[in-house]
Amino acid sequence: MNQLKKYFDDFHVISQDSFEKIEKITTQLNLKKKEELQAIGKTCKTIYFLEKGLARIYYLKDGNDITDNLILENNMIVRVESLFRNQPSRKAIEVLEDSEIIAIDAQKLMNLYDENPQIERLFRKIFEASHVETINRIESLQFHSAEERYKELIEKHPEVIKRVSLKHIASYLGITQVSLSRIRAIQN
Amino acid sequence: MNQLKKYFDDFHVISQDSFEKIEKITTQLNLKKKEELQAIGKTCKTIYFLEKGLARIYYLKDGNDITDNLILENNMIVRVESLFRNQPSRKAIEVLEDSEIIAIDAQKLMNLYDENPQIERLFRKIFEASHVETINRIESLQFHSAEERYKELIEKHPEVIKRVSLKHIASYLGITQVSLSRIRAIQN
DNA sequence: CGAGGCCTTGACCGCGGTCAATGCCCGTGG
DNA sequence: CCACGGGCATTGACCGCGGTCAAGGCCTCG
């Protein structure tokens, strides 16, 4: 919980009272490696904060498992396109390591928005930051080579390579696992 | 202005009074084809609504002009990554046709947020929708071929092909103008 | 009418995809 | 405790999409 408070403070400082209101609509989850947090086809009604562990959002494209996003500790896990549209998601969430997660009920959070604009603002800013990241990722996909994208990734998050299998990293980067293996071979 | 009101209503209905507050912080702009709305290096401090015309957001990558986004009538024009981070943008905005634009002062809008949570909510929802679009575009860039992306574009916005030059469309799709020309040649 | 921008087309090339064989690591059961 | 099976990474052979460079045609506008 303390971790979550710190995370919030980076975006928008809210009162202790407001924080406690959020606390009241959370539950604590502990998942074992490879367990599923949310299934394909379910509409996203929960916002997760990853306290410890590692997660990914993925979907199936022509039978292939595609990693849409990798989430490290101290980050939110949300299937934004489902939450914001209130539609079933084609994407699923699973943890890649034993993980500790705080689940925030989205519907109750929306209700808090009504009574407390500070909370709405906090989450607005959190999602704005994620929006900006998404935009930057487009630029990267559009005009950087696979090799450049791989280098960017290890520069930003060197630990990912040790914690995530090549195939997940590859599909996250938009290439095949075979190609990623070759790229790594050249590096040395 | 009426158009803007209608646009807002699709996201979140606000009172006439609130709408008038927004109206007060707007100015009307009329630009001629090829005129620049915002220059590279400027921090985005204005949110634009395109009433009539056509605009694009672009930037220079190794001296090449890259179209980041095409904006049709009845849409917002915003350099999100600059507005949300309050940082200079490497991107510029120009209109591709004579255009009528409503400019909303971002700083004054933030002030309105403080006194009127309904307005904050309205814009939150507007930007959430744009966030979702951005996410979907990633999927398209990551796993669709150039040809598929071109087909998606003409399906969604057939008029774009007649109104925008090939080179802008090509860089928007993440390919060269030469490749796009070939793709079109095959189609017939 | 000439200049410049825009689109097309040809020749060539390289990045990354596909298919398949092989090696390696690790968990599970006999 | 070892043997086997399955998942993961590497590597080779081959191919095709899209990039680059360059030439040429066609509009548009001064």
mmCIF file of all heavy atoms in Angstrom, chain A residues 145-146 175-176 179 182, chain C residues 15-20:
data_model
loop_
_atom_site.group_PDB
_atom_site.id
_atom_site.type_symbol
_atom_site.label_atom_id
_atom_site.label_comp_id
_atom_site.label_asym_id
_atom_site.label_seq_id
_atom_site.Cartn_x
_atom_site.Cartn_y
_atom_site.Cartn_z
ATOM 1 N N SER A 145 14.320 0.129 -36.634
ATOM 2 C CA SER A 145 14.468 -1.269 -37.024
ATOM 3 C C SER A 145 14.294 -2.142 -35.789
ATOM 4 O O SER A 145 14.353 -1.672 -34.654
ATOM 5 C CB SER A 145 15.847 -1.494 -37.622
ATOM 6 O OG SER A 145 16.817 -1.331 -36.611
ATOM 7 N N ALA A 146 14.112 -3.421 -36.037
ATOM 8 C CA ALA A 146 13.953 -4.365 -34.933
ATOM 9 C C ALA A 146 15.158 -4.287 -33.998
ATOM 10 O O ALA A 146 15.023 -4.328 -32.775
ATOM 11 C CB ALA A 146 13.797 -5.777 -35.482
ATOM 12 N N ILE A 175 8.533 -8.653 -33.760
ATOM 13 C CA ILE A 175 9.281 -9.543 -34.650
ATOM 14 C C ILE A 175 9.143 -10.980 -34.152
ATOM 15 O O ILE A 175 8.527 -11.230 -33.131
ATOM 16 C CB ILE A 175 10.783 -9.164 -34.712
ATOM 17 C CG1 ILE A 175 11.394 -9.176 -33.308
ATOM 18 C CG2 ILE A 175 10.959 -7.819 -35.373
ATOM 19 C CD1 ILE A 175 12.874 -8.904 -33.296
ATOM 20 N N THR A 176 9.724 -11.918 -34.903
ATOM 21 C CA THR A 176 9.653 -13.314 -34.478
ATOM 22 C C THR A 176 10.795 -13.627 -33.523
ATOM 23 O O THR A 176 11.817 -12.928 -33.497
ATOM 24 C CB THR A 176 9.773 -14.269 -35.679
ATOM 25 O OG1 THR A 176 11.046 -14.062 -36.289
ATOM 26 C CG2 THR A 176 8.672 -14.025 -36.684
ATOM 27 N N SER A 179 14.112 -14.153 -35.364
ATOM 28 C CA SER A 179 14.831 -12.932 -35.732
ATOM 29 C C SER A 179 15.520 -12.308 -34.522
ATOM 30 O O SER A 179 16.657 -11.837 -34.617
ATOM 31 C CB SER A 179 13.870 -11.904 -36.326
ATOM 32 O OG SER A 179 13.410 -12.341 -37.570
ATOM 33 N N ARG A 182 18.730 -13.968 -33.757
ATOM 34 C CA ARG A 182 19.805 -13.543 -34.664
ATOM 35 C C ARG A 182 20.347 -12.167 -34.292
ATOM 36 O O ARG A 182 21.551 -11.931 -34.308
ATOM 37 C CB ARG A 182 19.291 -13.472 -36.099
ATOM 38 C CG ARG A 182 19.121 -14.812 -36.731
ATOM 39 C CD ARG A 182 18.712 -14.655 -38.196
ATOM 40 N NE ARG A 182 17.712 -15.622 -38.565
ATOM 41 C CZ ARG A 182 17.975 -16.893 -38.821
ATOM 42 N NH1 ARG A 182 19.200 -17.350 -38.752
ATOM 43 N NH2 ARG A 182 17.010 -17.726 -39.155
ATOM 44 P P DC C 15 20.456 -5.691 -43.508
ATOM 45 O OP1 DC C 15 21.377 -4.608 -43.161
ATOM 46 O OP2 DC C 15 20.888 -7.110 -43.473
ATOM 47 O "O5'" DC C 15 19.150 -5.534 -42.614
ATOM 48 C "C5'" DC C 15 18.220 -4.491 -42.903
ATOM 49 C "C4'" DC C 15 16.824 -5.012 -42.647
ATOM 50 O "O4'" DC C 15 16.383 -5.858 -43.724
ATOM 51 C "C3'" DC C 15 16.678 -5.829 -41.367
ATOM 52 O "O3'" DC C 15 15.546 -5.338 -40.673
ATOM 53 C "C2'" DC C 15 16.519 -7.278 -41.863
ATOM 54 C "C1'" DC C 15 15.894 -7.095 -43.230
ATOM 55 N N1 DC C 15 16.246 -8.093 -44.271
ATOM 56 C C2 DC C 15 15.253 -8.637 -45.104
ATOM 57 O O2 DC C 15 14.080 -8.292 -44.920
ATOM 58 N N3 DC C 15 15.601 -9.515 -46.068
ATOM 59 C C4 DC C 15 16.874 -9.858 -46.241
ATOM 60 N N4 DC C 15 17.171 -10.726 -47.214
ATOM 61 C C5 DC C 15 17.913 -9.315 -45.411
ATOM 62 C C6 DC C 15 17.562 -8.451 -44.442
ATOM 63 P P DG C 16 15.274 -5.780 -39.185
ATOM 64 O OP1 DG C 16 14.583 -4.639 -38.542
ATOM 65 O OP2 DG C 16 16.512 -6.338 -38.616
ATOM 66 O "O5'" DG C 16 14.229 -6.965 -39.352
ATOM 67 C "C5'" DG C 16 12.964 -6.697 -39.950
ATOM 68 C "C4'" DG C 16 12.326 -7.999 -40.339
ATOM 69 O "O4'" DG C 16 13.089 -8.624 -41.409
ATOM 70 C "C3'" DG C 16 12.226 -9.050 -39.226
ATOM 71 O "O3'" DG C 16 10.877 -9.449 -39.147
ATOM 72 C "C2'" DG C 16 13.170 -10.156 -39.689
ATOM 73 C "C1'" DG C 16 13.089 -10.011 -41.197
ATOM 74 N N9 DG C 16 14.200 -10.581 -41.955
ATOM 75 C C8 DG C 16 15.539 -10.508 -41.652
ATOM 76 N N7 DG C 16 16.295 -11.142 -42.517
ATOM 77 C C5 DG C 16 15.393 -11.670 -43.436
ATOM 78 C C6 DG C 16 15.616 -12.460 -44.589
ATOM 79 O O6 DG C 16 16.690 -12.859 -45.049
ATOM 80 N N1 DG C 16 14.420 -12.775 -45.238
ATOM 81 C C2 DG C 16 13.170 -12.375 -44.818
ATOM 82 N N2 DG C 16 12.128 -12.766 -45.567
ATOM 83 N N3 DG C 16 12.951 -11.638 -43.752
ATOM 84 C C4 DG C 16 14.098 -11.328 -43.101
ATOM 85 P P DG C 17 10.279 -10.682 -38.420
ATOM 86 O OP1 DG C 17 9.052 -10.214 -37.770
ATOM 87 O OP2 DG C 17 11.340 -11.353 -37.635
ATOM 88 O "O5'" DG C 17 9.835 -11.632 -39.631
ATOM 89 C "C5'" DG C 17 8.847 -11.177 -40.557
ATOM 90 C "C4'" DG C 17 8.382 -12.348 -41.413
ATOM 91 O "O4'" DG C 17 9.474 -12.786 -42.246
ATOM 92 C "C3'" DG C 17 7.942 -13.574 -40.616
ATOM 93 O "O3'" DG C 17 6.797 -14.174 -41.231
ATOM 94 C "C2'" DG C 17 9.135 -14.501 -40.664
ATOM 95 C "C1'" DG C 17 9.794 -14.133 -41.990
ATOM 96 N N9 DG C 17 11.254 -14.235 -41.917
ATOM 97 C C8 DG C 17 12.087 -13.635 -41.019
ATOM 98 N N7 DG C 17 13.358 -13.919 -41.212
ATOM 99 C C5 DG C 17 13.340 -14.759 -42.317
ATOM 100 C C6 DG C 17 14.411 -15.396 -42.993
ATOM 101 O O6 DG C 17 15.622 -15.342 -42.754
ATOM 102 N N1 DG C 17 13.959 -16.177 -44.060
ATOM 103 C C2 DG C 17 12.639 -16.309 -44.426
ATOM 104 N N2 DG C 17 12.386 -17.093 -45.469
ATOM 105 N N3 DG C 17 11.634 -15.718 -43.802
ATOM 106 C C4 DG C 17 12.057 -14.961 -42.764
ATOM 107 P P DT C 18 6.106 -15.439 -40.544
ATOM 108 O OP1 DT C 18 4.682 -15.344 -40.914
ATOM 109 O OP2 DT C 18 6.525 -15.532 -39.132
ATOM 110 O "O5'" DT C 18 6.744 -16.695 -41.297
ATOM 111 C "C5'" DT C 18 6.653 -16.777 -42.710
ATOM 112 C "C4'" DT C 18 7.248 -18.098 -43.157
ATOM 113 O "O4'" DT C 18 8.697 -18.010 -43.136
ATOM 114 C "C3'" DT C 18 6.879 -19.303 -42.280
ATOM 115 O "O3'" DT C 18 6.411 -20.333 -43.132
ATOM 116 C "C2'" DT C 18 8.185 -19.672 -41.574
ATOM 117 C "C1'" DT C 18 9.228 -19.185 -42.570
ATOM 118 N N1 DT C 18 10.545 -18.793 -42.007
ATOM 119 C C2 DT C 18 11.687 -19.285 -42.602
ATOM 120 O O2 DT C 18 11.661 -20.058 -43.552
ATOM 121 N N3 DT C 18 12.861 -18.853 -42.037
ATOM 122 C C4 DT C 18 13.010 -17.993 -40.972
ATOM 123 O O4 DT C 18 14.128 -17.678 -40.562
ATOM 124 C C5 DT C 18 11.780 -17.514 -40.396
ATOM 125 C C7 DT C 18 11.821 -16.576 -39.224
ATOM 126 C C6 DT C 18 10.618 -17.930 -40.934
ATOM 127 P P DC C 19 5.710 -21.673 -42.525
ATOM 128 O OP1 DC C 19 4.618 -22.016 -43.465
ATOM 129 O OP2 DC C 19 5.431 -21.469 -41.095
ATOM 130 O "O5'" DC C 19 6.862 -22.775 -42.674
ATOM 131 C "C5'" DC C 19 7.643 -22.783 -43.865
ATOM 132 C "C4'" DC C 19 8.745 -23.808 -43.740
ATOM 133 O "O4'" DC C 19 9.946 -23.174 -43.228
ATOM 134 C "C3'" DC C 19 8.446 -24.965 -42.789
ATOM 135 O "O3'" DC C 19 8.902 -26.164 -43.405
ATOM 136 C "C2'" DC C 19 9.232 -24.608 -41.531
ATOM 137 C "C1'" DC C 19 10.453 -23.923 -42.159
ATOM 138 N N1 DC C 19 11.190 -22.989 -41.277
ATOM 139 C C2 DC C 19 12.580 -22.873 -41.412
ATOM 140 O O2 DC C 19 13.157 -23.559 -42.255
ATOM 141 N N3 DC C 19 13.255 -22.015 -40.618
ATOM 142 C C4 DC C 19 12.599 -21.283 -39.710
ATOM 143 N N4 DC C 19 13.306 -20.440 -38.964
ATOM 144 C C5 DC C 19 11.184 -21.380 -39.550
ATOM 145 C C6 DC C 19 10.521 -22.239 -40.346
ATOM 146 P P DA C 20 8.583 -27.604 -42.769
ATOM 147 O OP1 DA C 20 8.184 -28.474 -43.903
ATOM 148 O OP2 DA C 20 7.714 -27.458 -41.589
ATOM 149 O "O5'" DA C 20 10.023 -28.058 -42.273
ATOM 150 C "C5'" DA C 20 11.163 -27.752 -43.074
ATOM 151 C "C4'" DA C 20 12.418 -28.034 -42.277
ATOM 152 O "O4'" DA C 20 12.824 -26.840 -41.553
ATOM 153 C "C3'" DA C 20 12.272 -29.143 -41.219
ATOM 154 O "O3'" DA C 20 13.404 -29.980 -41.278
ATOM 155 C "C2'" DA C 20 12.227 -28.374 -39.916
ATOM 156 C "C1'" DA C 20 13.173 -27.217 -40.243
ATOM 157 N N9 DA C 20 13.027 -26.065 -39.365
ATOM 158 C C8 DA C 20 11.881 -25.541 -38.840
ATOM 159 N N7 DA C 20 12.076 -24.499 -38.066
ATOM 160 C C5 DA C 20 13.451 -24.324 -38.096
ATOM 161 C C6 DA C 20 14.303 -23.388 -37.472
ATOM 162 N N6 DA C 20 13.857 -22.411 -36.682
ATOM 163 N N1 DA C 20 15.626 -23.505 -37.709
ATOM 164 C C2 DA C 20 16.062 -24.484 -38.497
ATOM 165 N N3 DA C 20 15.365 -25.425 -39.140
ATOM 166 C C4 DA C 20 14.048 -25.277 -38.885
#
